[in-house]
Amino acid sequence: MPAVSKGDGMRGLAVFISDIRNCKSKEAEIKRINKELANIRSKFKGDKALDGYSKKKYVCKLLFIFLLGHDIDFGHMEAVNLLSSNKYTEKQIGYLFISVLVNSNSELIRLINNAIKNDLSSRNPTFMCLALHCIANVGSREMAEAFAGEIPRILVAGDTMDSVKQSAALCLLRLYKASPDLVLMGEWTSRVVHLLNDQHMGVVTAAISLITCLSSKNPDEFKTCVSLAVSRLSRIVSSASTDLQDYTYYFVPAPWLSCKLLRLLQCYPPPEDGAVKGRLVECLETILNKAQEPPKSKKVQHSNAKNAILFEAISLIIHYDSEPNLLVRACNQLGQFLQHRETNLRYLALESMCTLASSEFSHEAVKTHIETVINALKTERDVSVRQRAADLLYAMCDRSNAKQIVAEMLSYLETADYSIREEMVLKVAILAEKYAVDYSWYVDTILNLIRIAGDYVSEEVWYRVIQIVINRDDVQGYAAKTVFEALQAPACHENMVKVGGYILGEFGNLIAGDPRSSPLVQFNLLHSKFHLCSVPTRALLLSAYIKFINLFPETKATIQEVLRSDSQIRNSDVELQQRAVEYLKLSSIASTDVLATVLEEMPPFPERESSILAKLKKKKGPGAVSVELEDGKERGELNGGGDRGGDAAIAASNASTPSPSADLLGLRSAAPVSGTAPSAGSLLVDVFSEAGPAASSAGVNDDGFLSSAPPSAASEDPAPPLPESDELLNKFVCKNNGVLFENQLLQIGIKSEYRQNLGRMYLFYGNKTSVQFVSFSTIVSCPGELQSQLNVQTKTVEPLVEGGAQVQQVINIECLTDFIDAPLLNIKFRYGGALQNISLKLPVTINKFFQPTEMAAADFFQRWKQLSQPQQEAQKIFKASHGMDTEVLKAKLLGLGTALLENVDPNPENYVCAGVIQTKAQQVGCLLRLEPNAQAQMYRLTLRSSKDTVSQRVCDLLAEQF
Amino acid sequence: LVATGVGAKTYRRIRFILIQNRAGKTRLAKWYMQFDDDEKQKLIEEVHAVVTVRDAKHTNFVEFRNFKIIYRRYAGLYFCICVDVTDNNLAYLEGIHNFVEVLNEYFHNVCELDLVFNFYKVYTVVDEMFLAGEIRETSQTKVLKQLLMLQSLE
């Protein structure tokens, strides 16, 4: 038993450990431990005071028992007692016990802090280090409160021993990480930075970690560290391999310190001072040169230490991304490593080259290694190396090599590890789309993907191919032909059936001329797959069938037969049953014209960026995907490509009420066909933008990057008003309160009141998510001539809206003169990093400024006659779109703001109203007559006022209300 | 680990150091992040599962949750350091070796049993070389001198 014999050993402890090791079973071990616990407990409780040695021994045994995985609920007090021993070994065991077992038992913490305090002021460097290590290991807030003021003093005091300085620096770092508010560097900043000049390399090594952390949080305050770091680095790099003695590791001078210095420099942009920059570039060149020199030792430690510095230097070069010469040299160096016999180096070279590929200066240089990388993908034994090779191929892909890379990735997919297949599929899909010159290649690639790795092809991928086929007529015939062929395979993936069903349903006619793919052949082929498919796919196929009936009337009988069969029309799945019933009915009663309209070819999808990209980024995490850096400008308006109503034609016909589970494309709701992407964020949008710009902006950041996602390069112009905003406006003509707008993220409620020509509106913005909205801002604007008609003032809102919270905004409105348009409300905020940009019309309409006017019948008719010039009257005759219930009509007319005059119109069925519109410039009297015709379900609405524009506007507004 | 382990690009640190034998017995666990005991046990088991299946031709790096493990095997012991994904692999790989050389010198040809019987001293060695998740001292001479000085204090 070698250890027992050594030096100071606590014999009792060694015996106990041996006993435990000799236990043959878990039960025996527990028995032995319980015996020991009982023994220790009795010793601690015994009358006889224990000496320091015994106390140390028992506390150490307790610690050992704890480390074996057993709970320890006593001994803390004895451990704390050991802290005040003046013997190092006793103190050390006490501190160790506390560091390992500490919980925030506040009473104990007070005692511990007291002991630490004594040791810190003991001027005994060994005790000081023990105390500092304890703080560094525990790092609790109580400790920060007690010592955050003292430790900086110890760190910079002239008479502090070097080893204590090292511990103090890192101790402070720990406290700063845990409680940054308690560590105030202010007056110490400059002296801490100057520790970079310390003679003792160990002090520099420790202090630089602290400085790096502080610099990344407060770069400006610490920027003097740049020149100091450069000169320190320069001295190390240019030293001979023996100069630094203790700090030379396998002939490499101070490798860890060099790495830390290079890392610190990555907190900053390139030095502005020409001399400093020159010196730094010289260092980087020297490091690159040394990589080419013959090794001073054959040991792997030598080359690892040397290459650790080299890789860190390359990181800095990439971080600067401004020295083409260095970037290309770095790339060449990594190129050599790609073929190195050390797996580690090949791995790291692939990884590092990935970031080089995104620099414009080195992209071409990286591309020259394509064959080597492809070879790595095929032959590396370690899957993580193959993964890096795939990443690099993706990063180096551009138009010139896309076909080669996609082909290689596809062929790799056939044998790829399951763990990376899904990601590979996404990458292939993205590259194929991004670099597709002819879309038949794109279609082939995606269908191949489905064939090779169908299980890993997510919805995003096959939605996307359909979107693209629908949007590009030049590829539709080819796509139909290709899916038709692919479906011939006896076993084809369900995703292939989905794509096939959709595409043949839309474009099967393009290949129907060939008797080998006649309509019936197509139908039979699809239907042969039907029974093996899941419910959503079957639902999709049923929709394809009804489309066939429209495309090919000759298939009608066959398909109706299928729909009519019990397995469809009485299917236990409600969605399938409903589709079968409705499609059957539709095909039997609708005329061919109606059928053709309802089942028309899908309109093109609005162009937007691929949702596949979002998915990949989600998988890889922020900064991991570099290819699409160049596309950053498009990010603001991204929308999940798949969120639009693939089923729109069907939904529009009201022939089916799609349930979420069985929607044709798995889509929740049919968005407006107008093509304006709703700004409401789908999940995909959020995920995507969260990724933010990739690695090249590596500069300054803090730990919590989730909360401080860097702004994406989105367009910040207000979005055009939502297409439905006119409709929303109409909702509020006759009411002042309600919900103006709602999507998955945001709800906007509204309350308003008007008096004379003034109005006040309260907007309530509710965050429906559990995540806060940041950069929340709203702008109310009056477009065009409205500017001179309305005076609108708003208070700004708080830029943060917590999850689940609501903020209020008050808008004051003054009506200067009559108006037609409505003010625009633009709302912008970031949700999980994604810019949301919504524009709505504020429901401020001219009728809001009505003052009701009561008058008798005689007065009414007299005024009515006075307003008899043709332009003073506006009239509309329109069909009722709602019920003609008297009470509802009255409520609406009152809501309009006018007085409803009873017993004025000789016909009791009619309604007449009167009011004065108050504007700053003038008052406009207004009379109204509404004549319902219940039999014809029609209304005649007549408005007369002293101003033609007012008559017309009120008439238009009101006509939409019935 | 995912929730709390978000790392900055420039400021990185060690999350934990583990020494395990092939059977999965822990010989040292040093944590630089707050974990509760169950979580620690889970991490220990996961690391063991990830590391022991790799063969000698593989890299010394393996992705681990949001982090990576840099590890090296010495006889029956795996020395593992968990760091942020962007951290310098080779620097930590040699950091492990530097540490092992110090242990070897300190215990005169270190073996697994030395770490078992002197577990409380191993913690001292670790604290001399790594503190608060950072590299504190890299000079073997300096570390050993300090350790011998402490050894002499009785």
Side-chain angles (χ1 to χ4, degrees), chain A residues 564-843:
Chain A
R564 206 177 286 123
S565 72
D566 279 357
S567 63
Q568 307 299 351
I569 213 158
R570 297 194 204 289
N571 194 297
S572 61
D573 184 274
V574 64
E575 177 65 30
L576 292 181
Q577 189 186 98
Q578 187 166 7
R579 287 198 189 205
V581 171
E582 289 177 358
Y583 291 165
L584 184 58
K585 203 77 189 160
L586 180 67
S587 66
S588 348
I589 60 171
S591 67
T592 33
D593 282 357
V594 171
L595 212 56
T597 311
V598 172
L599 301 171
E600 201 184 358
E601 192 179 298
M602 290 294 290
F605 286 79
E607 282 302 333
R608 50 171 82 114
E609 194 171 337
S610 165
S611 58
I612 307 175
L613 211 50
K615 173 123 179 168
L616 181 65
K617 290 184 179 178
K618 185 178 163 193
K619 279 188 76 67
K620 293 293 274 184
V625 187
S626 48
V627 159
E628 46 294 328
L629 269 181
E630 53 197 279
D631 294 338
K633 57 186 188 306
E634 292 173 19
R635 279 180 198 171
E637 53 205 66
L638 283 183
N639 222 315
D643 72 343
R644 199 176 139 249
D647 214 356
I650 308 270
S653 73
N654 280 333
S656 172
T657 43
S659 80
S661 63
D663 229 347
L664 240 194
L665 289 178
L667 305 165
R668 299 294 170 261
S669 62
V673 187
S674 64
T676 317
S679 341
S682 71
L683 273 179
L684 289 169
V685 182
D686 313 325
V687 164
F688 179 78
S689 301
E690 202 171 83
S696 72
S697 61
V700 183
N701 209 331
D702 60 17
D703 261 13
F705 75 81
L706 276 183
S707 59
S708 63
S712 64
S715 154
E716 304 259 344
D717 291 335
L722 294 181
E724 64 266 36
S725 53
D726 276 315
E727 210 179 296
L728 296 171
L729 189 72
N730 282 329
K731 258 175 54 185
F732 283 86
V733 167
C734 293
K735 64 176 185 177
N736 287 335
N737 306 326
V739 174
L740 176 62
F741 172 79
E742 183 158 14
N743 65 12
Q744 299 112 296
L745 306 177
L746 177 72
Q747 187 194 57
I748 305 176
I750 204 165
K751 267 191 174 175
S752 45
E753 52 196 31
Y754 293 88
R755 185 163 302 146
Q756 308 284 349
N757 69 324
L758 301 177
R760 176 169 294 169
M761 184 178 274
Y762 298 87
L763 291 173
F764 302 90
Y765 304 98
N767 180 345
K768 291 171 64 181
T769 74
S770 54
V771 180
Q772 61 175 205
F773 296 158
V774 296
S775 311
F776 190 90
S777 71
T778 65
I779 301 168
V780 176
S781 58
C782 293
E785 57 176 346
L786 190 60
Q787 232 164 6
S788 56
Q789 297 165 336
L790 274 189
N791 189 358
V792 179
Q793 287 177 334
T794 53
K795 294 218 173 81
T796 53
V797 283
E798 284 297 313
L800 267 189
V801 186
E802 293 296 342
Q806 194 181 58
V807 295
Q808 181 188 327
Q809 183 176 33
V810 182
I811 300 174
N812 288 317
I813 304 149
E814 185 187 12
C815 177
L816 303 174
T817 180
D818 70 292
F819 62 96
I820 292 171
D821 285 332
L824 293 181
L825 169 66
N826 176 250
I827 301 140
K828 278 199 286 252
F829 59 94
R830 288 184 181 276
Y831 169 72
L835 178 69
Q836 306 292 326
N837 189 347
I838 302 167
S839 288
L840 298 164
K841 291 189 176 176
L842 269 189

Side-chain angles (χ1 to χ4, degrees), chain A residues 318 321 353-360 362-363 395 626-627 629 696:
Chain A
I318 295 170
D321 197 15
M353 245 189 202
C354 248
T355 39
L356 273 178
S358 59
S359 164
E360 55 170 320
S362 46
H363 182 78
S626 48
V627 159
L629 269 181
S696 72

Side-chain angles (χ1 to χ4, degrees), chain A residues 6 8 92 137 163 166-167 209 247 249-250 256 260 263 301 304 308 312 343-344 382 388, chain B residues 6 12 30 54 57 59-60 63 88 91 94 97 101 107 118 120-121 124 134-137 154:
Chain A
K6 265 178 205 153
D8 66 314
Q92 188 251 327
N137 283 323
S163 65
Q166 286 173 276
S167 300
S209 295
Y247 288 89
Y249 177 83
Y250 288 89
W256 292 281
K260 283 189 178 193
R263 175 58 50 89
Q301 281 76 22
N304 278 350
E312 203 63 65
T343 315
N344 285 343
D382 184 342
R388 291 292 156 267
Chain B
V6 177
R12 300 154 228 198
K30 184 78 192 172
R54 295 175 61 82
K57 284 275 169 61
T59 60
N60 293 87
E63 286 179 24
N88 191 316
E94 287 316 306
H97 189 74
E101 289 192 350
F107 289 110
N118 297 288
Y120 55 97
K121 291 186 185 166
T124 305
E134 294 288 339
I135 293 176
R136 177 184 177 272
E137 179 56 86
E154 256 312 311

Side-chain angles (χ1 to χ4, degrees), chain A residues 393-451:
Chain A
L393 283 179
Y394 179 76
M396 68 163 69
C397 192
D398 63 18
R399 209 166 290 284
S400 73
N401 56 21
K403 284 204 172 168
Q404 184 187 9
I405 286 178
V406 165
E408 292 293 347
M409 287 177 122
L410 268 178
S411 81
Y412 173 61
L413 251 181
E414 309 222 23
T415 55
D417 313 74
Y418 293 109
S419 56
I420 63 173
R421 279 197 184 183
E422 189 183 354
E423 195 184 314
M424 291 285 295
V425 166
L426 293 175
K427 285 182 167 164
V428 170
I430 290 166
L431 294 178
E433 180 185 340
K434 195 173 162 82
Y435 299 115
V437 182
D438 68 287
Y439 277 83
S440 53
W441 173 71
Y442 169 75
V443 169
D444 283 342
T445 304
I446 302 298
L447 294 183
N448 266 329
L449 266 186
I450 296 176
R451 204 170 44 73

Side-chain angles (χ1 to χ4, degrees), chain B residues 5 43 55 64 82 141 154:
Chain B
L43 286 168
D55 82 35
F64 183 77
C82 176
T141 321
E154 256 312 311

